[in-house]
Amino acid sequence: MLMNIKANIILASFLIFVSGMVHSQDTSLLDRLYEDFSRNLVTLDISYVLKMASTDITGEGKVEFQGNAYHLSGNGIEVYCDGKDVWLVDPSAKEVYIEPVSEGVDAYMQNPALLFTGLKENFDVSNVREGGQVREPGVKDIEYNLIPKVSCGIEECTIQLKKDGTLYYGTFVMSDGHADIIRVKVNSIKKSDRKEISSFRPTQSFDSSWMVTDLR
């Protein structure tokens, strides 16, 4: 289930985009944005590159999250979490892996939405400057260098925000051994009304044609 593990790492990266913002020096804008996110369902469409020792893996994905619940889809893999249990689903292989949400340090990579819900306690900003990946000639964004205060599989990261506070890009140096560097571009972001928690569970049933590993 290596791709499932990578999917969780990528999701952790998305949520760190948000986690870094409330620690920036422009707290009025970013605190307001965090408050909006904390009250709404947030949907991100992203492109990513996982740079590993032997190869680069590219892809696109979509993630919805509210509180510590999320649904991630990308490269044929679906990851669901209702805050209590996690489902890692590979529809093409007809394989599903189910386990309860962990506690302590292990919880951050298994349920990376916790990086969002605990963001004020988890990261410090070490530097803020103009720069980042060029979107348009002559346009400068703001870069935030972040260092985690908890063990979460991420050694350091840099996030890039447009000057209106919109998430745009991030580079993440991993420490868990699954990837060396992850680069994530946010293509779009949307806030909407919160959904029932049942929306963060698989809707299909897993009959005898599926390989099911249920550790609950």
Side-chain angles (χ1 to χ4, degrees), residues 102-159:
S102 299
E103 297 181 357
V105 172
D106 290 342
Y108 287 95
M109 289 312 295
Q110 184 213 48
N111 184 359
L114 295 176
L115 291 167
F116 177 72
T117 59
L119 55 94
K120 287 190 176 181
E121 293 76 30
N122 294 336
F123 290 86
D124 284 327
V125 169
S126 60
N127 188 42
V128 182
R129 68 181 185 89
E130 284 192 337
Q133 296 290 317
V134 176
R135 293 185 295 109
E136 305 174 31
V139 175
K140 292 185 178 180
D141 290 341
I142 306 298
E143 276 195 338
Y144 302 89
N145 298 117
L146 304 178
I147 299 176
K149 297 193 289 184
V150 298
S151 179
C152 59
I154 295 160
E155 196 169 292
E156 61 180 274
C157 58
T158 301
I159 63 169

